[in-house]
Amino acid sequence: MKEQKNINFLGLIAKPYVEKISNVVEKVILTDLKEIAEKKGDYKQSIRALPVFAIRIFQMSNGVIDLILAENIYSAKTLLRPLIEHSFKISFLTKKATKENSAEVFKDYYLFCDLAEELQYQKSLDYKSQLLFEKESDEKAFLDLIKNKPEIQKYSKRKIFEKANEFTFRNIFKFLNENDDIEYKNVENDFVKQGYEAYAMIGAIYSDLSSFIHGGPFAEPYVFPSSKEDEDNYEILNVIENVMIMHFYANLSILEFWNSIIPNKYDYAIKEINELMLEYYEKV
């Protein structure tokens, strides 16, 4: 293994800021989780989604940085792609709910995405049964699915997959671009402005990372250390930068939505994670 590169220290700087931002969000959610659950029944599914996404995003952000510190660029870039998707998905859910002044998008997410996943799983069982000539187990599995998910009989397969398709990255990215309320051009701090611009352009990065998920040839060179240290340093810098952008905006969207449910109660928390990001950028 190559001697650790000096630029890896950026991972050591980023790691505590990932945790600090997540701690702010965790404290906010835990403070009013019970009250919102009791008084705002329409937001039942959002109350489920927000803390779960916050935990998922923290674990992945932390995981990518750990992989960078271990000089495993290939695995870091592989995990970066689902982190981007999680970040955009929670941003989509919160922004759409805020725009429509309704929690319906959360209900659709849990209902139709769950049913679509169940149908896809059933499809895999069907394929296994065909390979192993297990027709009876195939039919039993589908009957069990109907029993456990009676909602599946209320909608056609076409309807289920059409609704679930609204939550694909392509459609999420399109919605966020068309409903972008971030006036980053008015931001004075250059680092934050660059962060806004990078977030808006992250779709291209997401597409590039497909090769890492699916074992494509584009990702192959990243399995090995580069002969030019500057190239590896660039990749390390790029991955850490994207982790911090995804982590920040995902958590910001959670806080802004929570703040809309209990108006302006958590302005201080939004300010706090903005200050944490500014502090991080000043250090790097």
Side-chain angles (χ1 to χ4, degrees):
M1 182 177 290
K2 293 172 67 177
E3 185 178 347
Q4 186 171 359
K5 307 172 185 66
N6 290 332
I7 201 169
N8 275 22
F9 81 92
L10 292 174
L12 296 174
I13 294 175
K15 197 172 175 67
Y17 282 95
V18 164
E19 185 171 355
K20 287 176 183 179
I21 289 170
S22 289
N23 286 343
V24 172
V25 174
E26 179 184 0
K27 184 178 179 181
V28 165
I29 289 175
L30 292 178
T31 298
D32 285 311
L33 188 62
K34 184 177 179 181
E35 178 186 341
I36 294 175
E38 291 174 349
K39 294 183 179 180
K40 296 185 179 290
D42 290 345
Y43 288 90
K44 180 180 179 181
Q45 299 292 14
S46 66
I47 292 166
R48 171 185 171 186
L50 297 183
V52 172
F53 266 91
I55 293 168
R56 285 170 157 182
I57 288 162
F58 169 71
Q59 290 177 343
M60 284 187 290
S61 297
N62 212 31
V64 175
I65 292 174
D66 283 343
L67 288 166
I68 284 295
L69 291 173
E71 299 185 60
N72 190 341
I73 295 175
Y74 185 90
S75 295
K77 289 175 80 72
T78 303
L79 185 56
L80 178 61
R81 179 169 156 119
L83 171 61
I84 291 171
E85 187 160 6
H86 279 67
S87 177
F88 271 74
K89 188 161 286 183
I90 192 59
S91 295
F92 167 73
L93 289 168
T94 53
K95 285 184 181 296
K96 189 171 174 64
T98 302
K99 181 184 178 184
E100 297 175 351
N101 194 27
S102 166
E104 195 68 25
V105 65
F106 287 98
K107 295 178 184 177
D108 286 348
Y109 166 69
Y110 277 111
L111 173 60
F112 292 106
C113 290
D114 180 48
L115 292 180
E117 287 177 349
E118 293 284 0
L119 287 170
Q120 290 287 12
Y121 176 65
Q122 176 61 38
K123 188 175 180 180
S124 70
L125 290 179
D126 291 345
Y127 182 63
K128 178 184 77 71
S129 297
Q130 291 171 17
L131 290 176
L132 301 178
F133 305 102
E134 296 178 345
K135 189 63 179 175
E136 290 184 5
S137 63
D138 163 25
E139 293 173 355
K140 182 179 182 301
F142 186 68
L143 290 173
D144 288 342
L145 175 60
I146 293 174
K147 182 180 178 181
N148 295 327
K149 299 282 182 180
E151 305 96 332
I152 210 162
Q153 292 183 302
K154 292 171 60 178
Y155 308 98
S156 67
K157 287 185 179 180
R158 180 177 179 179
K159 172 73 171 179
I160 290 170
F161 284 111
E162 278 181 355
K163 292 293 291 184
N165 192 53
E166 294 177 9
F167 300 92
T168 60
F169 186 83
R170 180 188 298 273
N171 287 326
I172 286 173
F173 189 67
K174 180 181 178 183
F175 173 88
L176 292 176
N177 277 338
E178 291 175 351
N179 295 274
D180 185 12
D181 57 357
I182 298 175
E183 294 294 339
Y184 65 82
K185 293 179 181 178
N186 296 327
V187 176
E188 294 181 4
N189 187 282
D190 287 339
F191 289 115
V192 176
K193 186 182 292 187
Q194 290 170 15
Y196 285 149
E197 293 170 343
Y199 186 74
M201 295 300 295
I202 209 76
I205 298 170
Y206 178 85
S207 297
D208 288 344
L209 294 173
S210 174
S211 184
F212 290 86
I213 294 291
H214 302 296
F218 173 80
E220 190 174 279
Y222 296 90
V223 174
F224 309 101
S226 172
S227 59
K228 299 178 181 179
E229 187 169 292
D230 286 348
E231 290 181 359
D232 278 351
N233 284 344
Y234 171 79
E235 293 299 334
I236 290 169
L237 179 63
N238 184 260
V239 170
I240 293 174
E241 174 77 3
N242 285 311
V243 168
M244 294 305 295
I245 291 169
M246 290 298 100
H247 191 73
F248 172 70
Y249 283 109
N251 283 286
L252 179 63
S253 70
I254 291 171
L255 284 180
E256 288 179 337
F257 182 71
W258 211 253
N259 207 34
S260 70
I261 297 176
I262 307 177
N264 304 320
K265 182 174 181 178
Y266 293 112
D267 287 344
Y268 78 90
I270 293 172
K271 180 180 179 183
E272 186 174 350
I273 68 165
N274 273 283
E275 289 174 348
L276 284 170
M277 278 301 287
L278 286 174
E279 187 178 310
Y280 165 74
Y281 278 128
E282 286 170 0
K283 287 189 176 181
V284 298

